[in-house]
Amino acid sequence: MINRLKNLSVEFKNILKESSCLADSLGFKVYLVGGVVRDLILEKKVFDLDIVVQGDAIVFAGKLSELLGEKFQRHHSFGTATVNFNAHKIDFATARTEIYSKQGVLPKVSPASITEDLFRRDFTINAMAISLNGDDYGKLIDLHDGFLDLKKKFIRVLHEKSFLDDPTRILRAIRFEQRFNFKFEDETYKLIKSALNSDALKFVSHHRLRDEIVLMLKESNPSKYIKRIHHLAGFCFINGQIKLEQKDLDVFFRIEHSLNHYHKRLKKHRILQAYLIYLAGILCKLPLDKVKKTTYDLGLKKGEAAIIYSIRKGLLSIKTLKNYKTPHIIYKTLKPYSLESILFFYAYYGKDLKRNIEFFLNELADIKLKIRGNDLKRLGFKPLKLYSEILKKLLYVKIDKRLKTKKEELSSAQRIFYGLSQQLKN
Ligand code: ATP
């Protein structure tokens, strides 16, 4: 059984050994649980650890962090703690049971045994534990046939009220189904359908929905996840007006394609919030004012909401780029937009805008002037209020005429200055 832990990094193995000794000395029972166990069995790489303590998780994490010489954060109201270790995160939680009083609302929790803790989990494949205590070290605890379901590639809930207790599990089920290429076990599929028929997702707070949707859109190849939700549930649970059509699904595939294309072919690699491009694709089905309200309801950060809003707003006006335009017009049109927005337009309008957008990203986006206001001052240009206009016009000239040197910029600036001064005189 110890072999289950063989794929962990040496660092993690050492931490688990330390945890094991500490647990024995404190008389606590300690387990690795949930997705980590699933991923270890599937021989996937594990980045973070989830540890359940039958005892006080905060006390345990505090003592372990002392031993490791690391800091830890405690969350008293949840009975949980986190130790950050190098780039990794180790979460500790006190074993607990959950009682759902109202659909979609977070449950009341109380300390419990590992058996009860495993029973509160979403799917059998996520309801296994590995013991970390002395003699049992490495022993798999699989009370719900999770191991068998992993082999059969099944997503199966632990009890029939599972999706009603917590409808976000419907989205989690889809996430694991698509990520691992698994199937819903028959009864689980029926329970999903019946929960959806009773509009279960509408009872979930927008913030919890957002968390699940964002997690899904951060998976690789999100378009198949979107397609799956569309066929199974639709997106009315976000807003009744969101009704995707086949042509919208095609856009998501094109977004995926354009992101791959972008990574492979476009010269500059920047950090992208790719999930926002997909989310914009879903929310773009709404009128502009509803987009604003929905991003607010979902509790998106200001910057995230602004990107989605500008995509929706620019959707029609950006079409003007369809016919070939001079380079500085392409620049002027696209420069105000984030890279996420530009890639969305690229996918949305396909070949109509492809050439101009690629041209912008490859050749224009990073063009900057070599000269600044001080250079204009040195040339004795007056009044100062003309400077921003001169520099703006100069940038467009540079883009259109492909000026390379500072000297070329200075002589163009001179001509622009002369023109503007003439206008002022008249
Ligand atoms: P991922 O690989 O996406 O991180 P994970 O299974 O580790 O997946 P987490 O959201 O980190 O998912 O949750 C850790 C564990 O907590 C899960 O494996 C599952 O056992 C349990 N869990 C998480 N969310 C729920 C839920 N909504 N209902 C029941 N159990 C849950």
Side-chain angles (χ1 to χ4, degrees):
M1 276 303 173
I2 288 174
N3 266 351
R4 301 250 174 267
L5 302 173
K6 75 174 189 295
N7 289 332
L8 285 173
S9 65
V10 178
E11 267 179 338
F12 274 158
K13 279 184 192 151
N14 290 339
I15 292 174
L16 293 188
K17 276 290 177 193
E18 288 273 13
S19 304
S20 177
C21 297
L22 181 65
D24 288 345
S25 72
L26 291 171
F28 288 173
K29 294 239 180 258
V30 175
Y31 306 88
L32 209 55
V33 283
V36 187
V37 177
R38 175 201 68 215
D39 287 347
L40 283 172
I41 296 173
L42 289 174
E43 302 195 358
K44 306 247 177 238
K45 212 162 170 51
V46 166
F47 295 98
D48 301 319
L49 298 181
D50 269 328
I51 291 181
V52 158
V53 180
Q54 214 171 283
D56 190 325
I58 296 182
V59 169
F60 187 82
K63 292 204 182 290
L64 185 70
S65 66
E66 260 173 46
L67 289 172
L68 298 173
E70 300 288 337
K71 292 204 178 97
F72 84 113
Q73 296 111 43
R74 63 199 94 187
H75 318 284
H76 276 295
S77 43
F78 298 106
T80 60
T82 305
V83 176
N84 289 304
F85 188 78
N86 295 338
H88 305 291
K89 199 167 66 110
I90 312 170
D91 284 322
F92 296 86
T94 304
R96 63 179 195 261
T97 183
E98 295 179 340
I99 296 169
Y100 287 86
S101 52
K102 225 170 119 193
Q103 195 178 0
V105 172
L106 288 175
K108 289 211 165 57
V109 303
S110 44
S113 65
I114 185 72
T115 306
E116 288 164 298
D117 188 286
L118 293 178
F119 187 63
R120 75 174 172 82
R121 289 171 186 269
D122 48 5
F123 310 113
T124 59
I125 59 167
N126 290 341
M128 291 180 276
I130 293 177
S131 171
L132 298 177
N133 279 90
D135 292 347
D136 277 350
Y137 190 80
K139 184 178 161 199
L140 182 71
I141 298 165
D142 179 15
L143 309 171
H144 305 285
D145 283 336
F147 186 82
L148 199 64
D149 283 339
L150 271 185
K151 297 288 148 201
K152 289 204 245 169
K153 298 177 179 280
F154 272 172
I155 309 288
R156 182 203 301 267
V157 280
L158 275 67
H159 57 88
E160 62 177 21
K161 275 183 70 231
S162 188
F163 293 118
L164 297 178
D165 282 346
D166 180 358
T168 63
R169 291 175 189 160
I170 298 170
L171 299 176
R172 289 178 63 82
I174 295 173
R175 182 148 59 88
F176 295 120
E177 175 206 37
Q178 295 299 313
R179 184 198 294 172
F180 298 125
N181 251 329
F182 279 18
K183 282 198 174 63
F184 298 139
E185 168 273 335
D186 285 349
E187 193 54 31
T188 299
Y189 180 69
K190 283 184 199 150
L191 293 171
I192 290 180
K193 289 304 272 181
S194 126
L196 287 172
N197 285 339
S198 63
D199 279 340
L201 281 171
K202 291 194 177 151
F203 293 93
V204 182
S205 78
H206 273 89
H207 288 202
R208 293 192 69 217
L209 286 178
R210 172 209 58 207
D211 289 346
E212 281 306 328
I213 293 166
V214 167
L215 281 176
M216 193 170 290
L217 299 180
K218 284 185 175 174
E219 297 273 338
S220 41
N221 309 115
S223 59
K224 63 175 186 166
Y225 295 69
I226 297 173
K227 186 172 167 193
R228 183 64 163 142
I229 297 187
H230 166 72
H231 287 306
L232 209 56
F235 283 90
C236 289
F237 63 89
I238 301 180
N239 181 300
Q241 276 179 276
I242 303 178
K243 296 204 170 70
L244 299 184
E245 298 162 43
Q246 184 55 45
K247 67 177 173 27
D248 302 310
L249 297 178
D250 295 342
V251 171
F252 295 110
F253 281 105
R254 288 210 297 273
I255 293 174
E256 217 162 87
H257 185 263
S258 72
L259 282 168
N260 291 335
H261 173 85
Y262 165 76
H263 279 298
K264 279 193 210 134
R265 286 203 31 217
L266 297 179
K267 280 185 208 150
K268 301 266 167 1
H269 283 236
R270 303 165 218 212
I271 295 167
L272 257 190
Q273 294 178 286
Y275 65 96
L276 286 179
I277 310 180
Y278 295 98
L279 189 52
I282 297 168
L283 299 184
C284 267
K285 298 301 288 180
L286 294 170
L288 201 53
D289 57 331
K290 291 264 167 58
V291 171
K292 198 168 213 165
K293 183 174 179 327
T294 308
T295 54
Y296 178 81
D297 289 345
L298 289 173
L300 293 177
K301 294 193 193 108
K302 263 192 183 159
E304 295 174 321
I307 288 177
I308 291 176
Y309 186 78
S310 85
I311 290 177
R312 178 64 184 83
K313 192 157 181 242
L315 205 55
L316 292 181
S317 55
I318 212 78
K319 244 166 81 177
T320 55
L321 266 192
K322 189 173 166 185
N323 304 316
Y324 180 72
K325 301 277 191 254
T326 49
H328 90 266
I329 299 285
I330 298 173
Y331 178 90
K332 218 166 125 176
T333 314
L334 289 172
K335 190 65 184 172
Y337 289 101
S338 63
L339 191 54
E340 286 83 359
S341 314
I342 294 172
L343 288 173
F344 181 84
F345 300 142
Y346 183 77
Y348 191 86
Y349 285 112
K351 62 180 178 353
D352 283 349
L353 297 191
K354 187 172 188 292
R355 208 171 77 162
N356 284 345
I357 290 183
E358 281 191 351
F359 178 49
F360 172 79
L361 290 171
N362 279 327
E363 315 260 339
L364 308 180
D366 297 319
I367 291 185
K368 287 192 181 64
L369 289 176
K370 290 191 179 354
I371 67 168
R372 316 198 167 281
N374 275 344
D375 296 296
L376 303 183
K377 213 171 179 178
R378 246 174 262 130
L379 290 173
F381 290 175
K382 275 186 193 142
L384 286 175
K385 68 172 185 195
L386 285 184
Y387 283 19
S388 66
E389 187 64 13
I390 296 174
L391 292 173
K392 192 173 86 185
K393 283 189 184 298
L394 179 61
L395 180 65
Y396 296 157
V397 172
K398 175 172 176 138
I399 287 169
D400 287 341
K401 299 201 171 152
R402 303 190 170 233
L403 305 184
K404 294 242 162 18
T405 64
K406 191 166 176 179
K407 204 168 149 203
E408 287 173 318
E409 287 184 15
L410 286 170
S411 58
S412 282
Q414 210 122 29
R415 277 193 293 278
I416 294 166
F417 171 68
Y418 181 74
L420 287 173
S421 317
Q422 291 303 107
Q423 278 175 27
L424 274 186
K425 276 184 202 150
N426 298 334

